[in-house]
DNA sequence: ATAAACTTTCAATTATTTCTGAAAGTTTAA
DNA sequence: TTAAACTTTCAGAAATAATTGAAAGTTTAT
């Protein structure tokens, strides 16, 4: 396999994986592209490379910036804006984990807490409901805390975690 | 809030969360419904409760069974089939983690390995490509192994993990 | 073998999500 | 100011994914 093919395959794969995890394909592909780029890229270069429209590129770059994993940069003497990606995988994973926790897990926890706290009569159905949703709340909360704890090791958290688990 | 409202809210929330993580809404809702049910449910009961068609119910139940988190059951003397869900959250999470690893992470790893092993010339772009994809491969492999290791504690793996992290 | 009771499949439809591109908005330099 | 260079927005179009429902398939009892 030669470079161009590998490059295409990598970007495709990352985009497809994104879709499976609830991230839109183009967003994942833009990030994949920036990850392997030595230089910062302009919006035109991204449009050209991925064959997408200006609007699409603009909106997805904005979303990536909101996630905190793509940065806007300026080049001296150039009017245009350029973009680069977080390339450190430890940092990248931490940022994504924190962001998903904030956007999705925390709100879900709030609702689980709410629905599991209803006053129940003695029916079997209602008892099972509060018990199971309470369990779910506890489980998700615990998992969220673990994620938080683990990612606080900062650099090399994954390697440090491996070490801890082996011991 | 009374029972019926809480129940609806819980099922809605779980469905929405499913969508955000690449699982179709109905599939997540059927699972949510079975999780809080004291009895096994027939396909009719699921259709009725979630207001969905027979075909939709059938296909999504099948998918849940393929994932190994919903089970088909028979009642003595009844022709109909009934369904129940894995209610133990530790087991549920392990099953989902293993399945996603098999279906999505392992194939992605194969491709990352492939594209990161290309023979490169000395250009900066090609060097950066192989370096970054190699890093990605290592990182994902390590994360996949951690997940595997952690879930092998079997029952109470999450609680055991919490203990290990506190020490 | 037959037929009732049930489940699965899949082509067509519907709903949802993503993408386009032109217009509106913003910034910078002169 | 003005206008060129650039970015963002968003209504409509296109693509994708989910859903329906009726026909085909399967199982079980007689």
């Amino acid at each position: 396999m030669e470079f161009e093919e590998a490059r295409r395959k990598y970007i495709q794969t990352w985009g497809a994986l994104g879709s499976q995890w609830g991230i839109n394909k183009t967003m994942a592909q833009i990030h994949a592209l920036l990850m392997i780029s030595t230089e910062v890229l302009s919006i035109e270069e991204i449009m050209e490379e991925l064959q997408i429209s200006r609007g699409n590129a603009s909106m997805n770059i904005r979303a990536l910036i909101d996630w905190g994993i793509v940065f806007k940069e300026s080049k001296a003497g150039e009017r245009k804006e350029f973009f680069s990606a977080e390339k450190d995988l430890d940092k990248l994973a931490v940022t994504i984990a924190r962001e998903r926790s904030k956007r999705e897990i925390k709100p879900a926890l709030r609702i689980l807490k709410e629905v599991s706290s209803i006053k129940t009569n003695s029916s079997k159905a209602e008892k099972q409901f509060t018990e199971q949703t309470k369990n779910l709340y506890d489980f998700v909360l615990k998992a969220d805390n673990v994620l938080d704890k683990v990612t606080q090791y900062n650099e090399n958290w994954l390697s440090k975690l491996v070490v801890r688990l082996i011991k």
Side-chain angles (χ1 to χ4, degrees), chain A:
Chain A
M1 188 161 37
E2 39 81 45
F3 182 49
E4 273 312 323
E5 192 192 341
R7 200 169 195 278
R8 244 194 328 271
K9 202 163 181 178
Y10 154 76
I11 290 172
Q12 285 309 310
T13 303
W14 221 236
L17 207 62
S19 306
Q20 288 173 319
W21 288 81
I23 286 138
N24 105 29
K25 193 186 73 178
T26 303
M27 196 167 148
Q29 288 186 338
I30 293 174
H31 187 258
L33 177 60
L34 289 172
M35 285 268 288
I36 55 163
S37 173
T38 48
E39 304 295 324
V40 295
L41 298 183
S42 70
I43 198 167
E44 272 81 12
E45 291 167 315
I46 293 170
M47 288 165 61
E48 164 65 19
E49 176 80 44
L50 303 178
Q51 292 291 302
I52 57 174
S53 72
R54 186 174 294 280
N56 193 10
S58 173
M59 292 209 302
N60 283 111
I61 289 168
R62 149 71 78 108
L64 285 162
I65 291 172
D66 285 349
W67 273 80
I69 58 179
V70 159
F71 316 109
K72 194 180 270 193
E73 308 203 14
S74 299
K75 272 187 185 175
E78 290 229 44
R79 184 86 147 266
K80 243 185 270 189
E81 284 170 346
F82 293 86
F83 303 95
S84 65
E86 176 57 67
K87 292 194 173 68
D88 180 312
L89 296 174
D90 278 284
K91 280 193 198 163
L92 177 65
V94 167
T95 305
I96 292 174
R98 295 241 166 91
E99 212 47 39
R100 290 203 91 147
S101 170
K102 194 172 78 190
R103 296 176 187 210
E104 296 152 16
I105 300 179
K106 298 282 194 310
L109 277 172
R110 226 198 60 241
I111 289 173
L112 280 177
K113 185 168 208 168
E114 195 181 344
V115 301
S116 66
S117 322
I118 60 167
K119 274 278 193 309
T120 48
N121 66 26
S122 58
S123 82
K124 208 172 164 190
E126 300 201 10
K127 282 217 173 96
Q128 162 74 0
F129 176 79
T130 51
E131 189 193 323
Q132 192 64 10
T133 50
K134 184 69 172 50
N135 284 345
L136 205 45
Y137 173 79
D138 290 342
F139 187 87
V140 175
L141 183 62
K142 210 181 268 183
D144 193 47
N145 286 338
V146 163
L147 210 59
D148 202 60
K149 180 106 192 170
V150 161
T151 58
Q152 268 170 11
Y153 298 163
N154 273 326
E155 10 106 13
N156 279 134
W157 61 268
L158 185 54
S159 299
K160 286 183 184 165
L161 179 59
V162 170
V163 173
R164 272 190 170 243
L165 290 177
I166 288 170
K167 275 198 299 205

